[in-house]
Amino acid sequence: MTSPGVGGCGRVPGLAWGVSLGWLTVEGWGCSQLYAIGLRNLLMNVRHARANDLSAIVGIYNAAIPGRMATADVSPVSVESRYAWFSGHVPERYPLWVTERDERVVGWLSFRPFYGRPAYAATAELAIYIDPEYQGQGLGRFLLDLAVANGPMLQLKTLLAFVFAHNLASLGLFEQAKFQEWGYLPRIAQLDGVERDLMILGHRLESPSSFLPSSQSGLV
């Protein structure tokens, strides 16, 4: 197993915890590395999205629209409409990660700039979507933990999420990852004639030195 920081590969923080129950592949720092992780004995593969993943990414997103819980879109979006959004993700700064099971993309997490102003460069907004068939299996929590652990390597200090107040499952997910309520916007959205509140959740990231595995220690 390759240790972080060797062979010209960038060091990916926060992946030395857990036990050897499964394998995680992380791509996007100019190489691929394998890390032993523990996640309910699942075989996990996480990588930066490729162009041929976009159809699956959009399909997963569109599957969330009818529930009126996870997005403010009210009708399906097209693959073509997401080209610019997709091209705005770069592995070293604002990655778009996909996770695969059964040889197909079943979930994704995106980082995107917050508000588009230079003073907010160290802040990113997260979005997580999981295929309905694979929800409840810990994939969302896994991706979120990975985002928190690797945020400092992406030059980020703060992560934000915008979640509808009636989306209790997502609120619970972010609460478990130590996100806190930083703002509340009452009745800001209207979904099928019902006014909905929006919550702003935030998480201040730790210094990367607090959890980076050393080049000597390898992985556990």
Side-chain angles (χ1 to χ4, degrees), residues 31 35 54 90 114-115 152 154 178 186 199:
C31 63
Y35 296 87
L54 185 55
V90 291
F114 171 69
Y115 206 61
L154 300 171
K178 301 188 185 306
M199 296 179 66

Side-chain angles (χ1 to χ4, degrees), residues 14-72:
L15 298 176
W17 47 265
V19 293
S20 301
L21 297 179
W23 293 101
L24 164 66
T25 303
V26 177
E27 298 179 354
W29 280 265
C31 63
S32 298
Q33 297 187 41
L34 293 178
Y35 296 87
I37 57 93
L39 184 68
R40 301 181 184 178
N41 247 352
L42 297 179
L43 184 67
M44 299 295 300
N45 186 306
V46 178
R47 57 175 173 79
H48 189 72
R50 298 186 284 257
N52 60 2
D53 297 319
L54 185 55
S55 179
I57 290 169
V58 170
I60 292 170
Y61 179 80
N62 282 338
I65 293 176
R68 302 296 192 254
M69 288 276 192
T71 173

Side-chain angles (χ1 to χ4, degrees), residues 105-126:
V105 172
V106 298
W108 55 270
L109 179 146
S110 71
F111 294 77
R112 68 178 182 183
F114 171 69
Y115 206 61
R117 298 291 190 273
Y120 298 115
T123 299
E125 179 186 344
L126 298 182

Side-chain angles (χ1 to χ4, degrees), residues 101-107 130-140:
R101 294 283 305 281
D102 305 321
E103 300 182 349
R104 67 186 183 94
V105 172
V106 298
I130 306 296
D131 186 309
E133 293 184 21
Y134 291 85
Q135 292 177 6
Q137 299 183 26
L139 301 184

Side-chain angles (χ1 to χ4, degrees), residues 72 162-166 183-191 194-200:
F162 294 77
V163 181
F164 284 129
H166 64 289
Y184 196 97
L185 306 177
R187 305 191 311 182
I188 195 173
Q190 185 164 304
L191 298 170
V194 179
E195 292 182 321
R196 296 295 190 180
D197 303 343
L198 183 70
M199 296 179 66
I200 303 173

Side-chain angles (χ1 to χ4, degrees), residues 147-217:
V148 170
N150 286 279
M153 284 297 291
L154 300 171
Q155 304 174 52
L156 297 173
K157 296 180 179 179
T158 303
L159 297 178
L160 297 176
F162 294 77
V163 181
F164 284 129
H166 64 289
N167 188 349
L168 300 183
S170 289
L171 291 176
L173 170 67
F174 282 97
E175 182 180 357
Q176 290 172 13
K178 301 188 185 306
F179 279 69
Q180 298 177 328
E181 180 183 333
W182 285 2
Y184 196 97
L185 306 177
R187 305 191 311 182
I188 195 173
Q190 185 164 304
L191 298 170
D192 295 335
V194 179
E195 292 182 321
R196 296 295 190 180
D197 303 343
L198 183 70
M199 296 179 66
I200 303 173
L201 308 179
H203 183 39
R204 186 70 175 175
L205 299 175
E206 300 179 35
S207 166
S209 62
S210 64
F211 51 73
L212 264 175
S214 70
S215 59
Q216 291 80 23
S217 64

